[in-house]
Amino acid sequence: MVVDIDLLLCYGATYKNIRKGNMIFAEGETCLFYYQLVTGVVNWVNINDEGKEFIQTILGEGESFGELPIFDDKPYAATAIANVDTTIIRLGKTAFLQLVRDNPDIHFKFSRLFTERLRFKFLLIKEIASQGPEHCISSLFNYFKQHQQFTCKKCNKVTLTRQQIADMTGLRVETVIRAIRNLHDQGKVLIEKGKVYC
């Protein structure tokens, strides 16, 4: 969790319930709030003219999203959509900036968060640009396993669908299916009853 919920509430934050499939904010809109996920899952996506989604990231409980415009005064760079029925807590932009000024340690938490997200984007761009699909997906799985994201901590089952992996990498879903099958044949992942383990 980036910011303690009680602290957010002290600065005037409010809870909001979002139904599955509903948009929280859209790419290009003006930023009015800081958002943090209480329960549920949010996809942070870019949508092209044909309606195809490119998943920037999938967020879970305690994670924040849509912070960039708070710090650079530009519009949202992506759209946030509830993947399941979701509860968020949101705080007005001005109040959030005051919270950060009053609590410098939170500013450092955001610096670390932005650095981690930027590092992940560098990894993804490098893999997509310079390697084949198997290498790209294998690197993605290794990253998620190391950072305990989208993999079961007990059994290493990948919790992303093949469609989500395709939407995250820009690959076609058929390419992702074929690449995962090839990784299984090479002994780099295990496919059991349709589930993928890394």
Side-chain angles (χ1 to χ4, degrees):
M1 185 174 308
V2 182
V3 184
D4 183 76
I5 288 177
D6 290 335
L7 184 59
L8 289 169
L9 291 170
C10 285
Y11 279 80
T14 57
Y15 289 97
K16 186 172 171 91
N17 295 317
I18 312 290
R19 303 284 293 169
K20 176 183 177 177
N22 283 356
M23 194 179 300
I24 300 164
F25 56 76
E27 179 178 352
E29 286 182 353
T30 301
C31 172
L32 301 175
F33 297 98
Y34 164 78
Y35 295 95
Q36 194 164 291
L37 199 50
V38 179
T39 62
V41 178
V42 168
N43 286 358
W44 204 7
V45 302
N46 292 110
I47 304 169
N48 70 15
D49 294 338
E50 290 84 44
K52 179 169 171 39
E53 291 183 4
F54 178 80
I55 297 175
Q56 293 291 347
T57 192
I58 300 171
L59 302 148
E61 293 181 14
E63 293 188 87
S64 63
F65 57 99
E67 313 91 337
L68 292 178
I70 291 174
F71 294 100
D72 70 3
D73 284 324
K74 300 280 194 304
Y76 285 114
T79 299
I81 301 170
N83 200 11
V84 298
D85 287 350
T86 295
T87 301
I88 59 172
I89 189 164
R90 66 184 193 174
L91 178 62
K93 180 179 174 181
T94 304
F96 177 76
L97 288 171
Q98 188 58 53
L99 181 153
V100 171
R101 281 187 207 96
D102 294 345
N103 299 275
D105 58 313
I106 291 173
H107 195 281
F108 284 108
K109 282 185 180 180
F110 277 102
S111 295
R112 183 175 182 86
L113 175 69
F114 292 154
T115 302
E116 288 171 359
R117 287 180 179 169
L118 185 60
R119 188 173 293 280
F120 173 70
K121 290 300 173 189
F122 272 109
L123 168 78
L124 200 55
I125 290 166
K126 180 183 94 169
E127 295 302 326
I128 290 169
S130 63
Q131 305 291 337
E134 287 90 359
H135 191 276
C136 177
I137 292 168
S138 180
S139 295
L140 200 62
F141 287 170
N142 288 336
Y143 178 90
F144 291 149
K145 190 174 173 181
Q146 272 184 336
H147 292 84
Q148 298 179 342
Q149 294 178 309
F150 311 121
T151 52
C152 174
K153 292 173 188 161
K154 294 178 183 173
C155 66
N156 291 327
K157 181 178 82 172
V158 176
T159 59
L160 295 171
T161 66
R162 285 152 178 85
Q163 183 65 58
Q164 288 172 320
I165 295 165
D167 292 344
M168 227 177 237
T169 58
L171 297 168
R172 295 173 48 104
V173 71
E174 296 83 3
T175 304
V176 170
I177 292 167
R178 190 169 45 254
I180 291 174
R181 205 173 296 126
N182 289 343
L183 289 170
H184 172 77
D185 293 343
Q186 296 165 22
K188 294 182 178 176
V189 300
L190 173 66
I191 300 174
E192 198 172 273
K193 296 182 181 175
K195 306 297 182 193
V196 179
Y197 300 81
C198 58

